[in-house]
Amino acid sequence: MQSYDHAALERELAEHVEGFTTLDGLEKFSGGQSNPTYALTSGARRYVLRSKPPGRLLPSAHQVDREFRVMTALRGQVPVPRMFCLSGEESALGPQYIVMERVDGTVHWDPALPGLAPADRARVYDAMNAALAALHAVDPGSVGLGDFGKPGDYFARQLARWTKQYRAAATEPRPEVEWVIAWLEEAMPDDDGQVAVVHGDYRIDNMIFAADHTLSALLDWELSTLGHPMADLAYQVMVWRLPNAGRFKGLGGLDRAALGLPSDEDYVAAYSARSGVEAAAHWSYHLTFVTFRFLAILQGVLRRGLDGTASNPLGADVMRAAIEHLARDAKRIASGKDQSRFETA
């Protein structure tokens, strides 16, 4: 981690964090690729500190202030940690940071949930489904998030943003990605007026589960905004398409029924039943878009790794292989060669 003035950070935290007295520990969690996250201790009290990474950052990336705001607003609506502090842009640590409560429980790094019985796996997935529907049911204005993003034209705005981010972080030409970008621009469906608070990175390893397999906390809100609810749902399903191997584990190649895991169709149908949203409409577009967006995020991670600023950087070869896999998958979906069979429009 970056160097910092221990005494200055201790004074800053004691002034702004409830219950904080002495800075007894600041230990970086393993894993993660975006905002460095630390276990923070003060006597018997335990917190989590999450900061921007050091160095040059891409525009509109690593916005821990947005994480702080959205989790503060959603407390009591969906499972999120209690927020304690948002530092200034320049802090005693260096980068801006937030401090939140530390929630006990289990983070499942493998979506296949090895070690759990099939019935317990089903409970975990149902809890994720219910929390997503609950998040999208929140009226943004009623919780002070009416200006958290621009309502309407979500996919147009997000496509422009991530195209810019991808190209700014590009390390080599990828014609297939440019083909996907062009297809997304051409095939974009008309805006249907659906606006919700969207998480932006809704996947199982951004969640903490209790011993009874209920969802205790939904974490990593840096990509959250006002947007279309299908962005979250399609993203979660997209991640499952990845192979169940390596750093980016999905459910590809597994017998989901035998494991007690829902099919894509059943998961989407359960969300639709809970939310009242017809989730299958324009499914191939939504799936292609979130695949491209994930690819663009990883391209940014690769660039920061090569620049020496990424948190816990993976090897460049691993990142390039993941980006190539996603580029092929996005083009296959967009080309109509791999459409989900439950699409209705």
Side-chain angles (χ1 to χ4, degrees):
M1 63 179 290
Q2 66 268 21
S3 61
Y4 65 95
D5 185 325
H6 183 280
L9 182 58
E10 182 176 74
R11 288 194 299 271
E12 186 171 88
L13 290 168
E15 181 179 356
H16 297 291
V17 178
E18 178 183 324
F20 193 94
T21 53
T22 57
L23 175 52
D24 298 321
L26 187 64
E27 182 178 356
K28 189 174 183 295
F29 286 107
S30 61
Q33 284 296 304
S34 186
N35 291 330
T37 306
Y38 304 88
L40 174 66
T41 55
S42 179
R45 290 180 174 267
R46 302 187 307 156
Y47 308 87
V48 171
L49 184 150
R50 184 165 163 86
S51 78
K52 292 183 178 181
R56 181 177 64 88
L57 304 178
L58 293 172
S60 72
H62 312 285
Q63 295 177 301
V64 294
D65 54 332
R66 288 181 64 82
E67 290 194 84
F68 182 85
R69 180 184 174 188
V70 70
M71 284 191 278
T72 299
L74 291 175
R75 178 83 171 159
Q77 305 290 323
V78 294
V80 291
R82 180 185 175 191
M83 297 290 106
F84 288 110
C85 168
L86 169 66
S87 79
E89 285 284 354
E90 296 182 2
S91 72
L93 181 64
Q96 187 175 41
Y97 63 80
I98 59 178
V99 177
M100 67 189 83
E101 72 170 319
R102 183 165 180 178
V103 177
D104 292 325
T106 299
V107 176
H108 296 294
W109 296 100
D110 186 340
L113 302 177
L116 295 188
D120 291 334
R121 294 184 185 122
R123 291 187 188 97
V124 168
Y125 274 71
D126 192 61
M128 288 193 292
N129 191 284
L132 187 60
L135 170 63
H136 295 161
V138 174
D139 174 16
S142 70
V143 294
L145 294 175
D147 62 347
F148 195 59
K150 296 178 180 178
D153 295 324
Y154 172 79
F155 289 104
R157 290 184 289 104
Q158 286 285 299
L159 180 58
R161 173 191 175 183
W162 288 106
T163 297
K164 182 178 179 180
Q165 297 275 48
Y166 167 77
R167 289 171 176 163
T171 52
E172 57 212 271
R174 294 191 184 279
E176 68 277 20
V177 177
E178 294 297 332
W179 185 96
V180 168
I181 292 171
W183 183 88
L184 287 167
E185 291 173 342
E186 179 66 26
M188 188 177 300
D190 292 335
D191 179 54
D192 61 8
Q194 294 187 56
V195 178
V197 179
V198 294
H199 180 271
D201 198 11
Y202 200 82
R203 61 178 196 242
I204 196 168
D205 52 312
N206 283 335
M207 305 174 190
I208 298 175
F209 290 86
D212 63 356
H213 310 298
T214 56
L215 181 57
S216 296
L218 178 56
L219 309 174
D220 290 3
W221 290 81
E222 69 172 288
L223 297 177
S224 59
T225 187
L226 297 186
H228 199 287
M230 287 307 96
D232 275 341
L233 184 65
Y235 179 81
Q236 189 174 34
V237 171
M238 178 274 294
V239 172
W240 299 340
R241 296 168 63 93
L242 299 172
N244 187 249
R247 168 63 180 85
F248 304 105
K249 286 187 177 178
L251 298 175
L254 301 181
D255 185 342
R256 294 200 208 175
L259 293 172
L261 303 175
S263 66
D264 293 353
E265 294 92 332
D266 289 344
Y267 193 85
V268 169
Y271 172 88
S272 292
R274 283 184 162 116
S275 66
V277 174
E278 179 44 67
H282 306 295
W283 185 252
S284 65
Y285 186 89
H286 297 148
L287 199 57
T288 302
F289 168 77
V290 295
T291 305
F292 164 70
R293 190 186 65 176
F294 190 38
L295 178 158
I297 292 169
L298 297 188
Q299 184 66 52
V301 174
L302 174 60
R303 167 60 75 182
R304 294 198 309 278
L306 294 174
D307 291 345
T309 60
S311 171
N312 188 32
L314 294 172
D317 290 344
V318 174
M319 295 303 303
R320 284 192 175 96
I323 292 166
E324 290 168 2
H325 174 93
L326 291 165
R328 289 193 301 270
D329 204 36
K331 188 171 183 179
R332 187 162 51 244
I333 299 165
S335 300
K337 299 176 180 178
D338 193 12
Q339 292 184 5
S340 300
R341 61 181 178 272
F342 54 90
E343 180 161 10
T344 61

